[in-house]
Amino acid sequence: KDANAALLSNFEVYQLLTDLKQQRKESGKTKQSSGQQNLNTIMYETLKYISKTPCRYQTPETVREFLVAMKDHKLTK
């Protein structure tokens, strides 16, 4: 499958953003370009919104189980 054309679940987005936030915190870089500051704002706003949804409490196993259960319904994007 084409990785650039795949759809992400809210859980996957939440997980990616929290991992990225943790990596940035550990690296400790302080000097940022304006583009980087804009990206940080987008990440912050997205995490703020998405952490209020149920995806915050999901696990990879529950997402996998859901996808397997829905496979028989042959839903389209």
Side-chain angles (χ1 to χ4, degrees):
K1 293 184 178 182
D2 183 5
N4 293 328
L7 296 175
L8 296 175
S9 67
N10 285 355
F11 170 74
E12 291 168 316
V13 173
Y14 179 76
Q15 189 174 32
L16 288 169
L17 289 177
T18 52
D19 290 346
L20 185 58
K21 182 180 175 183
Q22 185 64 32
Q23 287 174 358
R24 288 184 177 191
K25 190 181 287 186
E26 290 172 358
S27 70
K29 291 184 179 179
T30 56
K31 191 172 184 178
Q32 297 177 347
S33 67
S34 64
Q36 189 66 41
Q37 290 173 349
N38 290 341
L39 180 58
N40 289 342
T41 302
I42 292 168
M43 285 177 49
Y44 171 78
E45 291 293 334
T46 304
L47 273 172
K48 183 179 169 184
Y49 169 78
I50 208 166
S51 62
K52 296 176 184 175
T53 65
C55 75
R56 182 177 187 173
Y57 307 106
Q58 292 174 334
T59 64
E61 292 79 27
T62 58
V63 173
R64 190 175 302 110
E65 288 172 10
F66 172 77
L67 291 174
V68 169
M70 297 307 292
K71 195 172 193 175
D72 292 338
H73 298 287
K74 298 178 182 171
L75 300 175
T76 60
K77 293 179 185 178

